[in-house]
Every structure is written in C-alpha cells, then in structure tokens.
Amino acid sequence: MRSKYACRILIAAVVAVGATVFAAAPTKAEAWPRTDEKLWPLGALEKKDLAKPRPKPPFDLTGTWTVRVDPKDGGAMGFLPLPKLKPAAQALYDEGLRVNAQGKAFRDDTGACWPFGMPKWWNRVWPIQFMQYPTAIVAIQGLENSVRWIYLDGRGHANPDLIEQTYNGDSVGRWEGNTLVVDTSDLQPKRHWVMQGIPVSEKFHIVEKIRMAKDHKSFTVEMIMTDPENWEGEWRTTKTMEAVKGEDPVEGHCLPDLNEHILATDPAHNER
Amino acid sequence: MGGASGVAIELTMKNLVLRSTALAVVLAAALIAPGARADASRITPPHPNWTGVWVRIGSPSDPDVDQSKSPDPPSPTDESDWPPLTPEYLKKYRQITQALEKGERLNDPTSNCLPSGFPWMMNMPYPMEILQTPGQVTVIAEWMSQVRRIYIGAKHAENPDPTYFGDAVGHWEGDVLVTDTIGLKSDTNLNDSGLMHGQHTRVVERWSQTKSGVLEDQLTVIDPDMLTKPWVRTLKYKLEPSFHMMEYVCENNKDAAPVVAHKP
C-alpha cells in the first residue's frame, strides 16, 4: 500500500516538474519585443543581474573557435546557397562577377578596411574568442577585435529611438532546448555586404540557431537572414565552427597603408 | 541557379583570395607556443572579480562630471607634468608639442583609424569592459574597439612580434593584479599629445581596488631609449553597472587623404 502511494506521488511530481520545464521553454521563435531602456537599468555584467538564479545552459561557448572553411557553404568568402535575389540585387551581384572576371575587386569595402559586420563576422579566418556568462555572451573576432554582445538576460531589443545602427547589430538570445537562438536587428547598411555584390538594407535581420556537437569540439550556426529589399524570403545557410586548442588569439588589423598591391585598396582595381 | 552560382563563386573566390582581398595583417599567423596560455585549468584562488563596465574618472564618459565646467587642459608645452625624457626624446617631444600649440597636428596615427594601442588605450574617453575568466583577464576598450588580453600565471612568448596591445602576462599579489607587457609596436604614441616611445618599451601595472570601489591602474613605463628613469602614472576607474558597451567604428577618415603622420 505504502509503495503504491509513494509511486503515485513520485509520478505526479515528475509530471509537475516536466510541465513546468516544458512550459518555460518557448516552442517557437517568437518575435522579440523592444525593451524600454528605463525598464532595464542593469548592465548584463552587473553583479545583481549575474546573481539571479537561472537554469544551467545546455552548453558553454567559452573558448576559442574558428570557422571550418568549406566551399560547399561558401567558405571564407560567402554564404551558400544563395537566395532568390531581387532584380536590382541580382544585377549588382552579376556585375560583381563580371568585374571579378576582369581581375578586379568589386566594391570591396571590407578589403578597404570598412567593418565587415554580420554575418561576415563568422567567416573571417581569424579565430573568435567567446566568453559566456549567464546574462550575456561576449565574443571577439580576432580580425579588428570586432566585438559582439549577445544578451541572454531576457531583455528585448533596445529602444530604436536610443540605439545606433551598428555593423554587428543588436543581439538578444535565449535557450530553446539545446539550441541557442539569437535575434539580431538594427544593422548598419552603409558599405555593409553579406558577401560581394549583395548589400544589406535597413531591413536586414538575422536569426542564428547555434547547436553544439556532442563532443563539444564543434558547433553549427544556422543563419536565417531576411532582407525584403534585396532577396525574397529567408536566406538560410549554416557555418561550422571548430574548437581551437593550443593557440592564443593573435592581433589582426586592417591597415590601409600596408595594403599596397591589394586590389581592394587600389581605386584603379576596386571598381565602384 | 544555386549550383551554377556556387561554382562561379568558388572559382571567383579563389582568384580573389589569391590576388586581391587579403587584408594586411600586422602579425605573422604563427602560433605563439604550444598550449594556449589562457589555460582554464589554471583557476587561481579567489581574487577580486572586476568583471563589468568601468569608466575612467574624469573622462568625457564620466556621468558625474559636468564637462562644460571642466577646466581647460594644460598647454601641451607645459613641461611640469612631462615624463623624464632622454635628451633625444625631449627634443622630439618639444618639437611635437610646439607644433600642436600652433594648431598643427603631427604624429597621430589614430587620425587614420589606426589603433592607439597600449598603454594609451587605458586613458580612454569611453567605457571599458573587464572580463575575468580562468587564466585570462580581457580588457575591451570601447574606444576604437581595442582589446588586450592578460594571461594570468603565464610567461611571455619568446621574442613576441610587436603588436598594438603587446604581450601581457600577470599574477596576483594578494588582491593586487600585477601585469607585465612587452612587445609593443614602436609606431604608437603614449598619449594624445604625440608622445612617442622606443622599441623596447615595457609597462608594468598594479591593479587594485580602493575601499570606496575605485579601480586604480598604476602604470610604470620603462623605456631605456625614451626615459631616464621609469615613469609612473595612475589612472582611476569607477564601475558603471548600467552602462552598455557600444560598437565603435572609426570610419569618417577612411575616404580622406591620409593625415601626414611624419615624424620630426
């Protein structure tokens, strides 16, 4: 008798806990709200914010990672497969290929030391060092020390009246099961390209779904990019990042004065 | 469409990688030494944790300072606060500061969007973020998105290539973080008035926090080419928990003709 009641109590407890857990985890990527700056007085690294109890995350990105250069996904220069480009964007892209065939760079602002921004931030060949806290991930791309802050403390995107557009965007994230879902908006469109010949507009938006491999030696970043001015629907592409062991990050800077003989910095060979 | 474009991209990208869009990198990509120095297994005993966003006291970002009432900075030619320079560097610095006072601008690589580097970056006008992780202290200066890493309990790399932020190692002496930085590029300045330094500059810091919470960075610059004796400066920071670090991009000068940063 005692064992039967104990068993029922145990089952009820398991069901109650399970219901709580599954109720807390969003089942789909809902639109991220905007946060009134006044409602969010704490910085993500403020001790009070860090000290709040939170579930243990499914994985920790802390460490150094480098992109796996795979031509199938566009490698270090692109993001494949391409979406269906809008006519103007398609024309620009085709123009870039035509110019390349002549041995020239085409509007290569990255090569001329303008910020590469998102999503190129992922596929520069310099390693990225991540530091993960319960409330935020701070990630530093080795090239130009390009920093991303991904806020995990439940805030929405910043007030658009207060925020500046940036090349890496405003990123907020949350855990959905074993996936880290990151939403990035408010990206700066000036001289900002997804890849050669494909610019971004003010409507550019990125969702990243990060999943860690079981051996924790790599993780994938599935990117879902939308920009209704430049392509139709979603541009889906996935990059794989591999753990870097035995190396410290090195400095990488784009120094125009040292870029002699590089097409992107020679106006005669970087067609506009 | 996707397949043909993919092939075209691959062929074109190979050409581009070989011929054109490689960036000029300051350093060789060689590994520094086997084994990353930021070894997570080197978890040190409990020490102060300064993780957070800090603002230099008295800087333009200090919310407690009314910048409109700040006193004018001293004249660049006022030698009362100058470091103990060797005759060679004294002559050069006088030339630079006299030109500054006339309104000329000499020797400021940051005008061309080049990093200010260390230690000048610590005299920052904008906030900095300190991130303490096992074996490493990372300092991110919002100003020009500059990053330095201090490897705790590690040794200097052998013959490090000169970099903007140097090769920095550190250790704890009680609650004081002592750091040692070598391998600094010699074509950077030590401050915003064009103070140059030599090729063998070394900077030792002692970081400590006062009872009132102020974080002090006592920097000792050692440079036998430039200085007759070590030069000590102390910078002070306060925690600003509500500050958010912002992206900083130096872009306005990129299309301009380069500022002539000639050396006198």
Side-chain angles (χ1 to χ4, degrees):
Chain A
M1 182 71 118
R2 181 181 291 176
S3 64
K4 183 168 72 173
Y5 278 118
C7 187
R8 288 178 180 175
I9 290 170
L10 179 61
I11 291 172
V14 169
V15 169
V17 169
T20 303
V21 169
F22 285 105
T27 55
K28 59 180 180 179
E30 301 143 71
W32 293 84
R34 291 276 178 181
T35 296
D36 187 321
E37 195 76 9
K38 293 177 186 175
L39 297 177
W40 214 268
L42 295 178
L45 297 181
E46 209 279 335
K47 287 182 171 55
K48 288 180 187 174
D49 204 3
L50 281 169
K52 290 179 182 175
R54 292 182 173 87
K56 184 181 175 185
F59 55 81
D60 188 343
L61 289 170
T62 299
T64 305
W65 306 82
T66 191
V67 69
R68 180 185 296 167
V69 180
D70 186 348
K72 294 176 189 170
D73 64 26
M77 302 299 288
F79 300 87
L80 298 180
L82 294 180
K84 182 169 171 53
L85 299 174
K86 294 284 177 75
Q90 184 69 59
L92 194 65
Y93 177 74
D94 293 340
E95 175 70 8
L97 294 179
R98 186 191 69 75
V99 168
N100 290 158
Q102 298 174 351
K104 296 180 181 180
F106 179 68
R107 300 191 187 186
D108 189 351
D109 290 313
T110 301
C113 299
W114 283 84
F116 38 88
M118 280 288 290
K120 283 186 180 181
W121 183 89
W122 282 109
N123 70 347
R124 305 299 83 194
V125 294
W126 282 262
I128 305 174
Q129 192 169 59
F130 287 76
M131 284 159 281
Q132 181 170 320
Y133 295 86
T135 52
I137 294 171
V138 184
I140 305 171
Q141 161 57 257
L143 181 61
E144 288 291 311
N145 289 322
S146 178
V147 185
R148 286 187 70 194
W149 288 272
I150 301 170
Y151 295 105
L152 304 177
D153 54 0
R155 69 183 68 192
H157 286 296
N159 186 331
D161 291 333
L162 299 176
I163 197 172
E164 299 260 351
Q165 292 174 324
T166 57
Y167 287 89
N168 289 339
D170 178 51
S171 297
V172 292
R174 65 185 175 209
W175 300 98
E176 292 185 1
N178 290 329
T179 302
L180 175 62
V181 180
V182 179
D183 192 278
T184 301
S185 64
D186 300 289
L187 290 135
Q188 166 66 259
K190 179 180 176 182
R191 298 196 187 231
H192 188 172
W193 307 81
V194 177
M195 49 190 278
Q196 181 188 266
I198 305 178
V200 306
S201 73
E202 291 196 345
K203 296 177 183 174
F204 186 41
H205 179 262
I206 308 173
V207 173
E208 296 153 285
K209 295 186 177 182
I210 298 174
R211 300 176 180 93
M212 180 66 75
K214 287 181 181 175
D215 62 5
H216 288 254
K217 292 182 180 178
S218 68
F219 66 85
T220 57
V221 184
E222 178 191 1
M223 284 174 266
I224 306 163
M225 301 184 284
T226 54
D227 189 336
E229 290 198 6
N230 288 298
W231 59 85
E232 294 181 10
E234 296 176 342
W235 183 349
R236 288 178 174 261
T237 184
T238 299
K239 293 290 182 185
T240 301
M241 304 297 290
E242 295 176 325
V244 176
K245 299 294 182 185
E247 289 184 37
D248 291 321
V250 294
E251 282 187 31
H253 297 286
C254 184
L255 306 177
D257 60 329
L258 295 180
N259 281 351
E260 290 182 1
H261 315 300
I262 292 177
L263 298 183
T265 56
D266 180 356
H269 292 92
N270 187 357
E271 193 160 309
R272 291 272 160 204
Chain B
M1 173 88 164
S5 296
V7 171
I9 289 170
E10 186 172 341
L11 291 174
T12 305
M13 296 308 172
K14 279 183 181 175
N15 283 334
L16 288 175
V17 168
L18 288 172
R19 296 177 61 188
S20 66
T21 59
L23 302 174
V25 178
V26 174
L27 301 181
L31 298 180
I32 293 176
R37 293 184 290 171
D39 183 358
S41 67
R42 279 204 313 279
I43 298 176
T44 55
H47 290 295
N49 187 347
W50 298 321
T51 294
V53 180
W54 300 80
V55 163
R56 182 172 63 81
I57 293 174
S59 72
S61 297
D62 186 345
D64 296 328
V65 172
D66 183 347
Q67 299 293 333
S68 67
K69 296 179 181 174
S70 296
D72 290 336
S75 165
T77 55
D78 180 356
E79 299 188 13
S80 60
D81 197 31
W82 282 16
L85 298 171
T86 59
E88 177 192 357
Y89 275 79
L90 186 61
K91 180 182 174 184
K92 288 181 186 179
Y93 196 39
R94 278 179 175 154
Q95 202 172 349
I96 290 169
T97 52
Q98 286 164 9
L100 276 175
E101 193 150 68
K102 292 177 193 172
E104 297 174 27
R105 191 67 178 169
L106 290 176
N107 204 22
D108 185 1
T110 63
S111 297
N112 291 334
C113 294
L114 297 175
S116 67
F118 178 77
W120 184 8
M121 65 179 276
M122 301 310 297
N123 198 35
M124 53 193 78
Y126 303 120
M128 73 171 171
E129 187 168 74
I130 294 177
L131 301 164
Q132 282 181 235
T133 49
Q136 180 175 317
V137 174
T138 306
V139 178
I140 301 174
E142 184 178 295
W143 180 37
M144 300 188 76
S145 193
Q146 302 187 78
V147 176
R148 57 184 290 232
R149 296 178 178 89
I150 303 160
Y151 298 107
I152 306 302
K155 296 181 180 178
H156 283 301
E158 276 194 44
N159 299 317
D161 287 329
T163 59
Y164 284 100
F165 309 111
D167 183 74
V169 297
H171 66 275
W172 291 95
E173 291 179 1
D175 287 345
V176 177
L177 176 62
V178 182
T179 78
D180 185 47
T181 304
I182 62 172
L184 293 163
K185 282 172 64 68
S186 60
D187 58 353
T188 57
N189 294 337
L190 295 184
N191 62 18
D192 62 356
S193 60
L195 179 61
M196 300 176 294
H197 63 94
Q199 296 184 359
H200 305 291
T201 306
R202 180 178 170 209
V203 182
V204 175
E205 296 166 281
R206 295 183 67 86
W207 291 79
S208 60
Q209 192 167 21
T210 66
K211 289 181 181 175
S212 61
V214 170
L215 184 63
E216 293 189 349
D217 181 12
Q218 182 196 70
L219 300 105
T220 302
V221 180
I222 304 160
D223 189 323
D225 298 320
M226 170 201 170
L227 300 168
T228 57
K229 60 181 181 180
W231 179 39
V232 182
R233 310 286 289 180
T234 300
L235 299 171
K236 299 182 181 182
Y237 309 90
K238 57 183 176 181
L239 195 63
E240 287 292 346
S242 64
F243 273 34
H244 296 178
M245 294 290 287
M246 302 291 289
E247 181 178 285
Y248 186 108
V249 171
C250 179
E251 61 166 279
N252 290 331
N253 293 340
K254 286 189 189 299
D255 290 334
V259 172
V260 177
H262 67 269
K263 297 199 166 121

